[in-house]
Amino acid sequence: MNPDSQNVTDYTNNNTIFMVLSFKDNLGLSDVFSKLCKLIINLNNSANVRFPVSRASCVMGIGHDAWLKLKLPVPLPKELVDFAPIVGEKHTAVATKGDLHFHIRADNTSICYDMAEAISDVLDPIAISTEEIHGFRYWDSRSILGFVDGTENPHGQDRALFSMVGDDDAAYKGGSYLFTQKYIHNLSAWKGLSTEDQEKVIGRYKANDIEMPDDVKPSNSHIALANVGDDFKIVRDNMPFGNMSTNEMGTYFIAYASTFTTVQKMLNNMFIGSPEGNYDRILDFSTAKTGTLFFVPTFNMINDFGG
């Protein structure tokens, strides 16, 4: 594990705020971004001192276009691109814009709020919020669909192996690719399925979270298509969210990966299908509303960016 890396290997906490911001224009970016970099380091250091058992942290990701606008080092991280939509016969992994992404988590909502407020205050002159999701731990790490989420996550040292860039891109070693999607669930349709049919969509048994045997698990189940092999894993930190007044119930999918290629394989399997047309059945009940790729620099890089 790279001790200089941001907190991408941390385990899911009880409360999360996800924020995506886009720059208003190119005026004044450098000065404000310098302040922001210093703030991110300050927030994480302060959290470690003030709330040592809360597992509080703030992870900052930077999009492809923002990297160029901010005139950050070139060449860019090898796989940092402007994400393009993945279009299947029935469903599409949409691409949406985002310059900066913040993943704020703690066991106490107040810590998350204060971090989000401090970041927003600094960025107000140059950026607007395009997405803000308040996630929460739902029972024993289940999604709103009722199934445990993240069971296939790597553990121990494997979390760093699969979430951090290695020697193949030495200039960015210890950094991470960050891909996010906001999914909205059609709960009325989902609840219309029997538990047995829901299990066939996911590929796991609902109550005990045990994966179905290969000869029982459907080829278009989520588990069958999202798992692209033991050598290609990601660190998920998905969180459920819900708004009763707008009837928006969903999952914020967030993946830290050593290469974006791994995430791309998963998305292709899900939306195009394997074989083509055999798409992930969960997409009949969960619609991707966003899709953006970011790069998470190490703290040393952030310190350099801050001047």
Side-chain angles (χ1 to χ4, degrees), residues 67 73-78 165-166 169-176 295 298 301:
W67 196 281
V74 291
L76 279 65
K78 288 182 178 179
V165 173
D169 196 1
Y172 296 101
K173 185 176 181 178
S176 299
F295 188 78
T298 64
M301 294 177 202

Side-chain angles (χ1 to χ4, degrees), residues 146-224:
F147 287 76
V148 175
D149 194 1
T151 302
E152 290 297 315
N153 261 346
H155 296 279
Q157 293 184 348
D158 282 347
R159 290 178 75 79
L161 174 66
F162 289 113
S163 68
M164 295 180 189
V165 173
D167 293 329
D168 56 330
D169 196 1
Y172 296 101
K173 185 176 181 178
S176 299
Y177 291 95
L178 165 62
F179 184 73
T180 66
Q181 290 175 303
K182 180 179 79 171
Y183 283 92
I184 298 296
H185 304 314
N186 183 343
L187 288 184
S188 296
W190 180 253
K191 291 177 180 178
L193 299 179
S194 66
T195 297
E196 182 180 358
D197 285 339
Q198 289 180 359
E199 291 172 339
K200 290 178 180 178
V201 172
I202 302 298
R204 287 184 177 278
Y205 297 110
K206 192 171 186 177
N208 59 18
D209 189 38
I210 293 176
E211 185 174 343
M212 290 178 168
D214 290 341
D215 59 346
V216 176
K217 179 172 52 189
S219 64
N220 66 348
S221 66
H222 179 61
I223 297 299

